[in-house]
Amino acid sequence: MGYQILKDQPQPEQAQRNETDSEIKTKVEEWYKKNIVDTGYGDFVADVIFCNDRSTPDKSVTGYSSDTGLGYGKKATAFGASARIKAWKNDLENVLPQFTCPLENDKFTVEEMSGGNGALTYPVGLITADEILAAGSGTYDSSNNSYYLAKKI
C-alpha cells in the first residue's frame, strides 16, 4: 500500500501559495487601513520587500525536537529564522540573523516590482525574529531587558 494524499488535507505547497490570509495578517491590515490609509498617511509609506521567511529546515538544523519540517496546518514546524537565531540550541557563537529572503515566493510587496511578489494589500507586516535579535533582544538562554523593544513592567 503506497502513500495516499487525502483530498482535503493541506499540503506543504498549499502553505506557500499565498491564497489564505492568517488571522494576524488580517488584524495588522485592519489597523494599517484605519490608522495610516484612512488618516491620509498612506502615501508616505514605501512599498519595499517584506520577507516572510517560510523556509523549513529540518530538526537537525533547528534543534526543535518536535519539528516536522512541513510548515502547514497544525504540524509543529520551526521555520528558517528559528535556525538562524538558535531558538532551540545553545550555540551562541553561530547566531546569524539575516535580512534577505531565502524563498522567492516570500518576498512580499503591494506592487509587483523588481524582486517582489505583489501579494500584499498594504505595505505592512510584523517584525521578524531576525530583526528582534538584531535590535538587541539577547539570544538563547539569555535576555536583554533594557533594549528598546523590551516590555517594561
Side-chain angles (χ1 to χ4, degrees), residues 77-97:
T77 304
F79 292 93
S82 62
R84 293 188 296 276
I85 69 169
K86 308 299 181 193
W88 287 280
K89 286 187 171 183
N90 192 3
D91 182 10
L92 304 180
E93 300 299 316
N94 295 307
V95 173
L96 301 168

Side-chain angles (χ1 to χ4, degrees), residues 59 63-69 75-77:
K59 61 182 146 193
Y64 179 39
S65 61
S66 298
D67 188 5
T68 65
K75 310 292 184 189
T77 304

Side-chain angles (χ1 to χ4, degrees), residues 31-50:
W31 179 92
Y32 184 87
K33 181 178 182 321
K34 177 181 176 186
N35 294 283
I36 305 298
V37 174
D38 293 350
T39 58
Y41 292 106
D43 291 340
F44 298 102
V45 179
D47 181 22
V48 296
I49 293 173
F50 169 76

Side-chain angles (χ1 to χ4, degrees), residues 54-126:
R54 295 175 290 183
S55 63
T56 55
D58 70 25
K59 61 182 146 193
S60 67
V61 176
T62 66
Y64 179 39
S65 61
S66 298
D67 188 5
T68 65
L70 297 174
Y72 64 91
K74 295 183 180 180
K75 310 292 184 189
T77 304
F79 292 93
S82 62
R84 293 188 296 276
I85 69 169
K86 308 299 181 193
W88 287 280
K89 286 187 171 183
N90 192 3
D91 182 10
L92 304 180
E93 300 299 316
N94 295 307
V95 173
L96 301 168
Q98 74 180 30
F99 305 102
T100 58
C101 206
L103 302 174
E104 288 297 315
N105 194 40
D106 289 346
K107 295 179 179 180
F108 286 83
T109 55
V110 175
E111 298 293 326
E112 284 191 43
M113 52 187 250
S114 177
N117 65 12
L120 293 177
T121 303
Y122 299 110
V124 62
L126 297 175

